Amino acid sequence: MPKARLTVQQQFFGGSAEARRPGATFAQTMTATPAPLVACLCAAWCRVCDSYHEVFAELRARYPATRFVWVDIEEDEELIGDLEVETFPTLLVGLGSRLQFLGPITPQLATAERLLTSLAEAPATAAAPPSAQALLARLQQSCS
């Protein structure tokens, strides 16, 4: 089975309207929704990912109710499954069993915070690809 290709285009996925209140912050939305998860998909050889460790640690400190997971796509190839990540760092954000975002992100704290804030009010758009949704399910299961 060929791997799904993740391009440099960011992908926002539909979510539960009841989980997002207008004006709610990401932290409020995440605490109102079961099993919040932010995963960084990187590779050990990626120097940009090396520098992103500090940003990711700061995000973890700022959002204590959210689970943050660092995933090396080569070391954790079985976990990644059919999803092929081509650009680093790539973030996966899930609220419960719903995939909200999957895409590359520039390695600055402000960029990640803007993304997380925008997800609190993001309208439902497209359905997530099955390989991305399956990765979220595996991550949720491995983090529980």
Side-chain angles (χ1 to χ4, degrees):
M1 173 183 254
K3 289 188 173 190
R5 292 234 176 241
L6 176 65
T7 64
V8 294
Q9 182 179 12
Q10 296 175 340
Q11 301 176 35
F12 288 87
F13 303 106
S16 166
E18 63 273 5
R20 289 187 306 270
R21 299 181 313 277
T25 66
F26 180 75
Q28 290 167 333
T29 299
M30 293 301 259
T31 57
T33 308
L37 177 79
V38 176
C40 184
L41 309 178
C42 280
W45 51 261
C46 176
R47 297 303 70 134
V48 176
C49 292
D50 285 346
S51 65
Y52 199 63
H53 273 283
E54 290 179 27
V55 171
F56 207 64
E58 181 63 26
L59 286 171
R60 181 179 286 131
R62 291 183 184 201
Y63 300 96
T66 302
R67 290 182 291 169
F68 287 85
V69 181
W70 190 271
V71 180
D72 184 305
I73 66 160
E74 292 173 341
E75 288 181 18
D76 299 310
E77 189 174 349
E78 189 173 299
L79 179 67
I80 296 297
D82 291 336
L83 187 69
E84 186 170 315
V85 180
E86 297 177 346
T87 306
F88 302 104
T90 290
L91 286 188
L92 176 145
V93 181
L95 299 174
S97 63
R98 271 205 181 88
L99 184 64
Q100 291 295 112
F101 175 83
L102 177 64
I105 186 167
T106 58
Q108 290 86 27
L109 180 61
T111 304
E113 285 196 306
R114 278 192 307 273
L115 170 66
L116 297 180
T117 299
S118 72
L119 291 176
E121 296 181 1
T125 55
S131 59
Q133 191 64 49
L135 173 57
L136 174 62
R138 287 189 298 274
L139 286 168
Q140 291 285 19
Q141 184 177 23
S142 70
C143 291
S144 54

